[in-house]
């Protein structure tokens, strides 16, 4: 499948809103939240577009001042384009964005029943280190996972309060 990755722009907001509606059953971002994510300085969004410039996936990282940890805040691929390697490429590319912004670690939460995403994260070096009960709006639990971006360092579970 041919696609291009580029930085998200404020003009991508409606396309991301439509993609969210196709990709997630609940816990979606609304229009205002997406507009905020696409413009705030402490966020970075990559969008994947197909040959017709249609948005078919995106990933957003959040950064915190004085923190070496970037949080994968949103990540999805159009249901019709899944299983073709785009998710993996997008994840790899957003990790490169994190490295470019001096992050040493990526942190994320994933639904405990999301086997496809968990499998992708595990295969790309993420380690589950914390169980979060009743994390999503439907009551589903989450795993918090993280990955060290320092290729020399082993990924170790992180204890958080
Ligand atoms: C998770 C998601 C982004 C993966 O995107 P994708 O483009 O399908 O991913 P890829 O094609 O790169 O495949 C990644 C891995 O998942 C596997 N996979 C993809 N679709 C699968 C399916 N339906 N069933 C089982 N495995 C599947 C692939 O085989 C691949 O495994 P591998 O690394 O062992 O080869 C996509 O499924 C998605 O958008 N899901 C809904 C939103 C979501 O869950 N986001 C994550 C929130 S934490």
């Amino acid at each position: 499948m041919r696609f291009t990755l580029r930085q998200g722009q404020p003009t991508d907001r409606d396309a991301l809103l439509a993609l969210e509606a196709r990709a997630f059953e609940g816990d979606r971002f609304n229009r205002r939240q997406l507009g905020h994510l696409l413009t705030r300085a402490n966020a970075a969004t990559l969008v994947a577009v197909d040959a017709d410039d249609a948005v078919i996936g995106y990933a957003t990282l959040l950064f915190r001042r004085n923190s070496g940890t970037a949080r994968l805040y949103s990540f999805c691929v159009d249901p019709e384009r899944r299983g073709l390697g785009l998710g993996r490429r997008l994840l790899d590319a957003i990790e490169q964005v994190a490295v470019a912004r001096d992050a040493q670690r990526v942190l994320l939460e994933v639904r405990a029943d999301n086997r496809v995403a968990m499998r992708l994260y595990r295969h790309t070096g993420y380690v589950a280190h914390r169980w979060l009960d009743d994390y999503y709006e439907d009551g589903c639990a989450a795993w918090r996972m993280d990955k060290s971006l320092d290729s020399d360092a082993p990924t170790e579970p992180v204890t958080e309060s």
Side-chain angles (χ1 to χ4, degrees):
M1 179 184 42
R2 303 189 88 185
F3 60 87
T4 308
L5 300 181
R6 61 162 171 80
Q7 200 177 320
Q9 309 290 339
T11 48
D12 291 318
R13 179 169 66 172
D14 288 346
L16 294 189
L17 188 67
L19 177 59
E20 284 261 320
R22 293 196 298 279
F24 293 103
E25 286 176 14
D27 289 278
R28 299 187 197 101
F29 291 122
N30 62 35
R31 205 165 182 274
R32 185 187 56 79
Q33 289 167 322
L34 286 167
H36 192 51
L37 282 181
L38 288 165
T39 50
R40 59 196 273 191
N42 67 340
T45 295
L46 281 182
V47 302
V49 295
D50 68 10
D52 298 322
D53 212 29
V55 173
I56 54 172
Y58 88 106
T60 296
L61 286 177
L62 291 186
F63 300 90
R64 275 190 314 186
R65 199 178 299 174
N66 301 324
S67 168
T69 299
R71 182 170 173 217
L72 185 63
Y73 199 51
S74 190
F75 172 45
C76 68
V77 167
D78 191 308
E80 292 184 7
R81 309 297 183 101
R82 290 183 191 161
L84 301 171
L86 175 55
R88 200 168 183 134
R89 289 281 307 281
L90 200 44
L91 190 57
D92 185 51
I94 204 78
E95 287 170 4
Q96 289 172 32
V97 171
V99 169
R101 288 184 55 160
D102 295 329
Q104 288 99 46
R105 186 171 77 118
V106 175
L107 185 79
L108 60 87
E109 288 86 29
V110 56
R111 286 179 66 99
D113 60 3
N114 191 343
R115 299 172 77 172
V116 171
M118 286 203 62
R119 180 186 151 110
L120 170 59
Y121 296 141
R122 273 204 220 94
H123 284 189
T124 51
Y126 287 81
V127 175
H129 64 85
R130 188 168 175 188
W131 175 264
L132 302 166
D133 254 337
D134 198 16
Y135 188 77
Y136 292 97
E137 63 187 21
D138 66 353
C140 186
W143 277 108
R144 180 161 289 158
M145 305 182 82
D146 80 332
K147 176 180 178 176
S148 169
L149 298 174
D150 177 355
S151 54
D152 295 332
T155 304
E156 290 179 3
V158 176
T159 307
E160 293 178 24
S161 54

